[in-house]
Amino acid sequence: MLEGRGDSPQFALDRLDPLRISFARELRGLTKKELAFRIAKTSSAVSQIERGVIRPDLETFVRIAMVLRVPTTFFMQRNVPPQPIQLDGCHFRAKASTTQTMRKQSSRIGELLVDFIEILERKGIVLPEEQVTSFSCTADTAEEIERAASNLRIQWGMGFGPIPNMVRLLESKGIIVLPVYHACDEVDAYSTWKGRRPCIMLSFNKTASRARFDASHELGHLLLHEDTSTGDTITEHQANRFAGSFLAPRESFVTECPRRWSLEAFRTLKSRWKMSISALLYRAKDLGCLSPPSYRRAMIDLGDMRRDEGPEWAMEQPTIFSQALSLLQEHTTLDELASELTVNTSELKDLLEQCVPLDLIQKMSQRSDDDLGKVVSFRQPQPKEE
């Protein structure tokens, strides 16, 4: 077990923040009962430890750190109280089978990554100012949502053509875009605020067109549903309408959209607007370009093709970490950054590898013999209870 700053377990225990144990447990996707089983304690004891009612003895404390695969320094009090992501403030786009534990895990991963971004900012990285709160709109009806998407494009100076790269657009407007990791495969995407930063987490384990639509969908939640609970049919339909309106604005799309179904024509539209054929068909129906019978015929044809819509473009990846680390590579190492984040270096590498070039990760790595072979991969399946 690595101790990020050379502090002893007793030193960390004396400065214990019990909420950090809850954080680490949820980060690993464990319930209190599952953690209790792994440390040979009762669920009640784990609950009392996490609430600060009782303090664990040193042996139990070290065992908790080992099971949750973090240095004991992870559990120490912070000089600046953290601003946790509140689960009820997250707008999730997830499968019906997604459990509360999975949602908590994905929000904790997002929180850890935003904490890492704050470390990078303290080292001099300057991010774009967020341009979400400056846009004010109330949109409930389809027409209001169309206008909101159009007005946002105008305010952001985009025009009404196809968006070359949705992720980079969001990042340029101060929205943090982060990857949902394989540990949270049931979660497609979610959006929330972490302090002053709007955040969108996306799964990239899907098609490029789906990821773009999810990003636009979550932007819709950030703009339309700041103080509204989401996940119901109405708010999801509103976010979908916004996504289609933003990606394919009425002002220009209606002039290009065919008035009858043609696979070849819609494949051309797909390449230009970077949307799936399914999403383009739905947009065409919404705008009255395709009649309901034509839309149904098209969807039947797609179904017969098993929705094989043909090749897609390269996945749009977040750039915030790769750009920041490129600027800092001569001034710090991943070991030092992991220490500040109070995680093992192996885990930080695992978190970054989806959106940072491997050669940059290797250049910033200083692996020690003590670290090799002792840290379980972040995405390695959890051991099953016997």
Side-chain angles (χ1 to χ4, degrees):
M1 172 66 68
L2 283 178
E3 297 301 329
R5 295 177 297 178
D7 297 326
S8 70
Q10 185 62 58
F11 181 89
L13 179 58
D14 291 341
R15 293 154 180 80
L16 173 65
D17 178 357
L19 294 178
R20 295 291 289 178
I21 296 179
S22 302
F23 186 116
R25 174 178 58 77
E26 292 171 357
L27 181 69
R28 300 306 178 206
L30 294 177
T31 64
K32 293 177 183 178
K33 180 179 179 180
E34 289 168 334
L35 176 58
F37 176 84
R38 286 162 171 76
I39 64 171
K41 296 290 181 180
T42 65
S43 298
S44 176
V46 169
S47 180
Q48 292 183 74
I49 289 171
E50 292 189 3
R51 288 186 289 116
V53 175
I54 61 175
R55 178 178 292 254
D57 57 64
L58 183 60
E59 181 181 352
T60 300
F61 181 61
V62 172
R63 190 178 298 127
I64 289 172
M66 292 179 66
V67 168
L68 298 180
R69 309 191 308 279
V70 293
T72 55
T73 50
F74 186 90
F75 303 124
M76 290 172 56
Q77 297 172 358
R78 270 41 181 174
N79 293 329
V80 179
Q83 296 178 302
I85 292 176
Q86 300 299 328
L87 202 61
D88 57 5
C90 294
H91 307 293
F92 279 94
R93 185 172 176 82
K95 299 178 179 64
S97 59
T98 305
T99 65
Q100 193 77 342
T101 297
M102 294 173 184
R103 293 171 188 263
K104 287 180 180 179
Q105 183 181 28
S106 63
S107 68
R108 291 305 196 185
I109 293 173
E111 194 170 335
L112 189 67
L113 288 169
V114 177
D115 287 345
F116 183 61
I117 289 171
E118 291 173 355
I119 290 172
L120 298 176
E121 287 185 293
R122 290 197 295 270
K123 291 185 176 297
I125 297 299
V126 178
L127 303 180
E129 291 295 322
E130 63 90 1
Q131 298 182 39
V132 174
T133 52
S134 61
F135 182 79
S136 176
C137 72
T138 301
D140 296 314
T141 67
E143 182 58 32
E144 289 172 341
I145 292 170
E146 290 282 344
R147 285 201 301 269
S150 177
N151 290 338
L152 181 63
R153 274 180 167 259
I154 292 171
Q155 180 167 315
W156 282 0
M158 297 171 55
F160 295 104
I163 299 171
N165 190 306
M166 185 68 189
V167 170
R168 290 188 183 178
L169 171 68
L170 296 175
E171 289 184 321
S172 73
K173 305 305 178 183
I175 299 171
I176 303 299
V177 181
L178 301 169
V180 170
Y181 289 87
H182 302 314
C184 307
D185 271 344
E186 298 297 310
V187 176
D188 287 330
Y190 74 86
S191 54
T192 190
W193 287 79
K194 175 71 162 63
R196 59 188 175 87
R197 285 286 179 187
C199 304
I200 293 177
M201 287 195 71
L202 295 175
S203 170
F204 296 105
N205 188 26
K206 58 178 68 174
T207 62
S209 58
R210 175 66 183 275
R212 271 173 64 94
F213 193 89
D214 283 351
S216 188
H217 176 102
E218 295 306 323
L219 175 62
H221 278 315
L222 288 172
L223 293 167
L224 305 178
H225 304 131
E226 180 181 357
D227 300 316
T228 305
S229 297
T230 59
D232 59 275
T233 302
I234 293 175
T235 56
E236 289 304 293
H237 180 75
Q238 289 173 343
N240 280 337
R241 181 78 187 215
F242 178 90
S245 304
F246 190 69
L247 290 172
R250 177 170 55 189
E251 289 84 347
S252 54
F253 185 73
V254 291
T255 64
E256 298 185 20
C257 185
R259 266 45 183 183
R260 59 179 61 183
W261 163 238
S262 160
L263 177 60
E264 182 179 352
F266 273 85
R267 276 182 171 163
T268 299
L269 281 183
K270 174 179 179 176
S271 176
R272 171 166 163 74
W273 290 94
K274 293 189 175 182
M275 296 171 65
S276 70
I277 293 178
S278 298
L280 288 166
L281 287 169
Y282 200 91
R283 182 69 175 141
K285 178 178 71 73
D286 273 350
L287 294 176
C289 298
L290 284 183
S291 66
S294 293
Y295 173 77
R296 287 194 294 270
R297 178 71 259 168
M299 294 305 290
I300 290 172
D301 287 350
L302 278 186
D304 291 341
M305 296 162 52
R306 296 185 179 179
R307 295 188 183 272
D308 180 11
E309 299 185 358
E312 297 211 343
W313 48 94
M315 183 70 71
E316 299 170 4
Q317 294 284 354
T319 62
I320 180 173
F321 291 126
S322 58
Q323 290 185 22
L325 294 179
S326 293
L327 293 171
L328 294 174
Q329 61 181 309
E330 302 300 330
H331 308 286
T332 189
T333 67
L334 286 188
D335 281 346
E336 293 167 348
L337 292 171
S339 177
E340 291 192 48
L341 192 59
T342 61
V343 299
N344 293 305
T345 304
S346 298
E347 177 155 335
L348 181 57
K349 291 179 185 177
D350 207 29
L351 287 168
L352 295 175
E353 67 179 11
Q354 285 197 39
C355 52
V356 176
L358 182 59
D359 59 345
L360 180 56
I361 292 176
Q362 292 174 336
K363 183 174 182 179
M364 297 188 68
S365 297
Q366 288 184 344
R367 304 185 68 174
S368 67
D369 292 338
D370 290 340
D371 192 23
L372 295 175
K374 291 192 177 182
V375 181
V376 181
S377 171
F378 184 82
R379 292 193 296 271
Q380 183 167 321
Q382 298 285 349
K384 295 182 179 180
E385 295 182 13
E386 299 179 351

